[in-house]
Amino acid sequence: MMWALVAIVLAIVVSALPAAASVVATDAKVEGDRDETVFSLTLSAGVPAEVFTLANPYRVIIDMPDVSFRLTADAGHSGVGLVKAFRYGLFAPRKSRIVMDTELPVVIARAEMINVPEGEGVQLNLLLRATDAATFGTGTGGARKRAMSRSRPVDDAEAVHPRNAQPVIVIDPGHGGVDPGALGGSEIYEKSVVLEVAKQLHRELTKRGGYQTFMTRTDDVFVSLDDRLMFSSEKKADLFISLHADALADTDSAKYVRGATVYTLSERASDAMARRMAEKENSADAVAGLNPDESEGAFEVRSILADLLKRETANFSADFSSTLVGEMRQKLRLARSPQRSAAFKVLKQTRTPSVLIELGYLSNTEDKKMMQSQKWRESVSVSIADAVDAFFERRSH
């Protein structure tokens, strides 16, 4: 049985579907060359699927209902033919996404969902064919709105409010869902490491009392950079802590580069490494298959008041960064230059002191081993919580 294709943004329509949560992806294959490549996904049952392409960088996107992925640990890490790599996971609650990075602009020459030969379930097959940049344009999904963002973020200088009775802490586990972040081989993802640390930190701060603590995500789901900022603004955060982990592609450097680093916001990066890190973290939305934000100017400070707020916030952020490095140094391995700065979008918060912590390097054997340890997660959380206590103790006088 085969389902029909409709419209430029391809929609594969099926009938008599089971509950979406019961559908499982059990296998994914890429075969072909740089002229034509076939991507095949085996599913336990048919689901509606929307397929489209995006530019800057060139990507093929597949959106489906809440599909569970039970693929091999290294699925998508390397490519074949026109596909450089692919990633998968929750893009939003009850919405799954696959993002394929392509070597060249491609057209979807054929898309079909067929019964698995001599087996149960169905197979989604996409035939990708190389094309030229002019023909590709912005891709078939180039005009799509960023519908998954809950609302347009606003400059929070316009929403200045009194200090909360109890300090509000927003913990931001980076990446998630379809965006795995850095990889430590095939067995460990940044998104999982930082989520576990975030949960541990939330427990530690809750145990100490005196704070209202929130997390931008509590499970393995993608959250856009805009929505992270909006969440912080809505919660009227007094402190924003974004958690990440790095990885180096250079295997020689990976042997000896390790340790935690604390980043604060600056328009000009403190060094080349900080600039590279900001570029990587700011690309999270593109990694998850979102169009570039055409209205980033909404975050620019437009008034003298906002400038003053931003300067005061930067001072508080620098103060917390210094306190945090001092506390972490007592229990954890730090990078050679543990305090850096760059233009991280998630730190562009006019009224909320904010830091981004790179907890270590998944590309380093020793760091990776530590980051999988519950004892290490507890030490990290205690260090950060101690810094939070010291920061607000000073501000209370």
Side-chain angles (χ1 to χ4, degrees):
M1 179 166 46
M2 185 179 298
W3 288 267
L5 306 178
V6 296
I8 297 178
V9 179
L10 300 175
I12 301 165
V13 184
V14 298
S15 58
L17 295 174
S22 66
V23 178
V24 179
T26 56
D27 191 29
K29 294 180 181 178
V30 184
E31 301 174 309
D33 54 33
R34 289 172 66 89
D35 293 321
E36 288 189 345
T37 301
V38 175
F39 173 82
S40 299
L41 181 72
T42 302
L43 297 160
S44 59
V47 294
E50 188 179 28
V51 185
F52 56 95
T53 56
L54 290 174
N56 301 317
Y58 294 120
R59 289 156 290 166
V60 176
I61 315 295
I62 306 171
D63 280 344
M64 299 173 288
D66 191 2
V67 170
S68 298
F69 292 93
R70 298 179 189 170
L71 308 181
T72 59
D74 60 350
H77 290 190
S78 58
V80 173
L82 292 166
V83 176
K84 291 194 291 187
F86 67 87
R87 50 200 167 274
Y88 51 88
L90 280 179
F91 176 62
R94 302 195 62 78
K95 182 174 183 178
S96 297
R97 170 168 285 191
I98 296 174
V99 180
M100 281 179 270
D101 298 317
T102 60
E103 298 278 2
L104 302 168
V106 300
V107 294
I108 302 167
R110 187 176 72 250
E112 60 184 10
M113 193 174 282
I114 61 175
N115 286 332
V116 175
E118 301 178 357
E120 296 182 357
V122 301
Q123 192 171 68
L124 168 62
N125 297 318
L126 301 182
L127 172 61
L128 310 180
R129 185 171 293 151
T131 188
D132 58 87
T135 301
F136 187 91
T138 60
T140 57
R144 292 168 63 91
K145 301 294 183 183
R146 296 187 60 173
M148 297 316 301
S149 202
R150 290 175 293 134
S151 58
R152 293 304 317 145
V154 296
D155 186 346
D156 60 358
E158 299 170 4
V160 178
H161 53 266
R163 186 177 297 175
N164 297 297
Q166 283 191 324
V168 174
I169 317 297
V170 169
I171 306 168
D172 175 48
H175 308 280
V178 69
D179 172 20
L183 305 178
S186 62
E187 75 280 10
I188 180 170
Y189 294 161
E190 176 183 359
K191 65 177 183 178
S192 302
V193 169
V194 298
L195 180 59
E196 290 305 311
V197 174
K199 289 178 177 178
Q200 184 65 42
L201 177 57
H202 185 278
R203 287 192 291 268
E204 180 66 29
L205 290 170
T206 300
K207 180 180 71 176
R208 295 186 181 204
Y211 304 111
Q212 299 179 68
T213 309
F214 303 95
M215 293 171 58
T216 56
R217 67 180 180 93
T218 57
D219 53 13
D220 186 18
V221 64
F222 172 76
V223 182
S224 73
L225 296 175
D226 279 354
D227 279 350
R228 294 171 193 268
L229 288 165
M230 180 63 74
F231 184 88
S232 179
S233 179
E234 289 175 347
K235 296 300 181 184
K236 298 180 171 59
D238 295 295
L239 185 63
F240 181 91
I241 302 171
S242 192
L243 300 174
H244 293 260
D246 199 7
L248 299 178
D250 183 349
T251 54
D252 291 331
S253 298
K255 294 176 183 178
Y256 60 85
V257 177
R258 58 178 302 209
T261 307
V262 179
Y263 291 89
T264 51
L265 176 67
S266 67
E267 292 307 316
R268 178 173 295 180
S270 58
D271 52 58
M273 180 176 285
R275 183 175 63 253
R276 177 191 67 82
M277 182 62 59
E279 289 171 352
K280 186 189 80 167
E281 300 299 352
N282 291 346
S283 69
D285 287 358
V287 167
L290 288 178
N291 277 323
D293 191 352
E294 297 176 356
S295 59
E296 283 193 18
F299 277 100
E300 295 303 317
V301 178
R302 299 184 181 91
S303 66
I304 295 175
L305 172 62
D307 253 347
L308 292 172
L309 280 169
K310 187 175 182 181
R311 192 176 308 155
E312 181 183 42
T313 301
N315 290 336
F316 282 131
S317 297
D319 178 40
F320 180 64
S321 172
S322 297
T323 303
L324 184 57
V325 166
E327 294 292 345
M328 293 176 73
R329 182 174 278 120
Q330 298 178 39
K331 297 183 176 71
L332 305 167
R333 175 68 177 260
L334 298 182
R336 184 175 299 175
S337 299
Q339 285 183 273
R340 300 172 185 264
S341 60
F344 292 90
K345 180 174 178 179
V346 79
L347 300 183
K348 291 185 177 181
Q349 305 191 49
T350 309
R351 66 161 305 280
T352 304
S354 307
V355 297
L356 185 148
I357 307 171
E358 291 285 350
L359 296 166
Y361 288 82
L362 290 171
S363 50
N364 179 274
T365 303
E366 294 175 78
D367 270 10
K368 183 171 70 172
K369 183 178 179 180
M370 282 196 315
M371 281 190 265
Q372 297 177 81
S373 160
Q374 176 61 23
K375 183 178 179 180
W376 176 86
R377 289 194 289 267
E378 290 172 357
S379 293
V380 170
S381 300
V382 168
S383 295
I384 298 174
D386 285 347
V388 170
D389 285 345
F391 176 71
F392 284 107
E393 175 66 23
R394 285 196 300 273
R395 291 192 68 182
S396 66
H397 295 305

